[in-house]
Amino acid sequence: MKMWQFFVISVIAEIAWKVGSTNMPPLPVLPIPTERQLLWQKRERTMFLHFGTNTFTNLEIGTGKADPNVFNPEGLDTRQWVKAAKAAGFSLVIFTVKHHDGFCLWPSAYTNYSVKSSAWRNGKGDVLRELANAARDEGVDLGIFLSPWDLHDPSYGDTLGYNEYYTSQIHELLTNYGSITEIWHDGFRAANATPSDYLVDEWFELAHELQANILVRSDIGPDIRFVGNEVGLGGLTSWSTINVTEQVIGSAVNHRYNSNRISSSTDILGVFLVLSSKEIGFISFSSFITQSSENTLFAWSVY
């Protein structure tokens, strides 16, 4: 190679290096959100539908002893729910298929404490089926809330027995009702509740195995999580990354991750993300509503 050729090549290489180094984007600070988590954040608003025996007993948390026949919403119209959500700009609804009282709003094969033991639709009804069909027809995504704490099932407190029951219901729900966008595992249980260990890794793995695009939500993720309060307000800053090894579903202290304590109605409800990292993940800010009547909905928004 001639000297002038070497010189030209050297100059071109130096220019290319300088251009590349100046235009090169900065390296990301890990962890970073997945595509599904970014799409979830862009959704901005979610409607939460809290419906069940509590709607008719006027309790926020049922006892697990209510007669199934108390659930008899003769005027139920889930299509009206979905149309109302869509008209208000919501693209996702989350539905309490089982709250803490253990009553199931689908005819589960694993318990008789469900709509199949009620007078509604002569025991042949399935609220989730009706809602899933309506959501699909209207182009609205559907998520489900499946409470780990169960005040009715006698296996609660037996780690292996209850987790087998719970994972069986996860399998049932995620294989019989089409696409489920999110599944929520609310970690709340009363201070005097029967102790029970949750095999959460099995829950999360099963959900992702059955529906590859599902987002799993709990106190510790792995995709999105509860922020730690139910008042609909949050600190002006709530950091997206947390150390999930410090959290345990059922006894998380997520409020610690707000830089400000809740102070006024001007505070916003923040929504963040959770990554699948075992050490650090993003977080989610969310709030619960009391009850909806069979024809009236309450919603909370996320921004």
Side-chain angles (χ1 to χ4, degrees):
M1 178 183 295
K2 295 182 179 180
M3 182 61 69
W4 69 269
Q5 291 174 317
F6 176 80
F7 177 78
V8 170
I9 292 174
S10 298
V11 171
I12 293 175
E14 183 176 3
I15 293 173
W17 178 82
K18 288 183 177 180
V19 171
S21 62
T22 55
N23 292 337
M24 184 179 297
L27 293 175
V29 177
L30 298 176
I32 58 175
T34 65
E35 180 182 6
R36 289 183 298 116
Q37 290 168 327
L38 287 174
L39 291 174
W40 174 86
Q41 191 175 40
K42 290 180 180 179
R43 190 188 295 274
E44 295 188 341
R45 293 184 295 175
T46 298
M47 180 174 282
F48 186 88
L49 312 178
H50 189 163
F51 190 57
T53 57
N54 299 356
T55 307
F56 305 94
T57 59
N58 198 31
L59 295 173
E60 181 179 358
I61 298 176
T63 63
K65 299 177 181 179
D67 184 338
N69 285 309
V70 76
F71 184 82
N72 190 18
E74 295 179 356
L76 183 68
D77 184 357
T78 58
R79 192 168 300 276
Q80 182 271 329
W81 293 2
V82 175
K83 286 184 176 180
K86 186 176 181 179
F90 293 91
S91 60
L92 170 66
V93 295
I94 306 293
F95 182 55
T96 52
V97 294
K98 184 186 82 165
H99 202 242
H100 307 317
D101 63 336
F103 187 79
C104 301
L105 295 183
W106 81 102
S108 175
Y110 301 99
T111 181
N112 289 323
Y113 199 55
S114 76
V115 288
K116 68 184 179 184
S117 296
S118 73
W120 179 64
R121 304 273 200 266
N122 296 315
K124 303 297 182 182
D126 187 337
V127 184
L128 180 58
R129 177 74 62 198
E130 294 186 19
L131 180 60
N133 290 342
R136 183 186 62 249
D137 292 346
E138 295 295 329
V140 174
D141 292 330
L142 175 65
I144 56 175
F145 171 111
L146 184 67
S147 172
W149 185 30
D150 192 314
L151 283 161
H152 178 83
D153 195 81
S155 69
Y156 192 85
D158 173 359
T159 297
L160 294 180
Y162 183 71
N163 279 276
E164 181 178 0
Y165 170 72
Y166 193 78
T167 53
S168 295
Q169 290 196 322
I170 293 174
H171 188 278
E172 194 174 41
L173 291 164
L174 298 187
T175 56
N176 292 325
Y177 293 91
S179 176
I180 301 296
T181 300
E182 292 182 24
I183 182 169
W184 287 26
H185 305 289
D186 178 13
F188 175 78
R189 57 185 167 193
N192 61 348
T194 301
S196 189
D197 293 328
Y198 298 150
L199 305 181
V200 295
D201 289 341
E202 293 186 7
W203 306 351
F204 302 162
E205 182 179 353
L206 178 61
H208 286 136
E209 177 183 336
L210 295 176
Q211 300 222 17
N213 294 320
I214 198 169
L215 289 167
V216 178
R217 179 263 197 205
S218 78
D219 295 329
I220 58 174
D223 300 309
I224 51 180
R225 81 157 179 86
F226 175 48
V227 74
N229 77 77
E230 299 184 355
V231 298
L233 302 173
L236 294 177
T237 301
S238 184
W239 299 108
S240 295
T241 53
I242 65 168
N243 186 341
V244 296
T245 61
E246 296 181 355
Q247 303 283 32
V248 177
I249 184 171
S251 59
V253 285
N254 302 322
H255 64 274
R256 294 193 303 114
Y257 293 100
N258 294 329
S259 64
N260 298 338
R261 297 304 299 269
I262 297 168
S263 59
S264 72
S265 59
T266 60
D267 291 343
I268 62 171
L269 180 67
V271 174
F272 304 89
L273 307 170
V274 175
L275 295 185
S276 58
S277 165
K278 291 293 184 181
E279 294 297 324
I280 294 178
F282 279 67
I283 65 175
S284 155
F285 223 124
S286 60
S287 171
F288 283 86
I289 301 302
T290 53
Q291 314 302 321
S292 62
S293 74
E294 59 192 75
N295 289 314
T296 306
L297 300 182
F298 296 87
W300 52 262
S301 303
V302 292
Y303 300 96

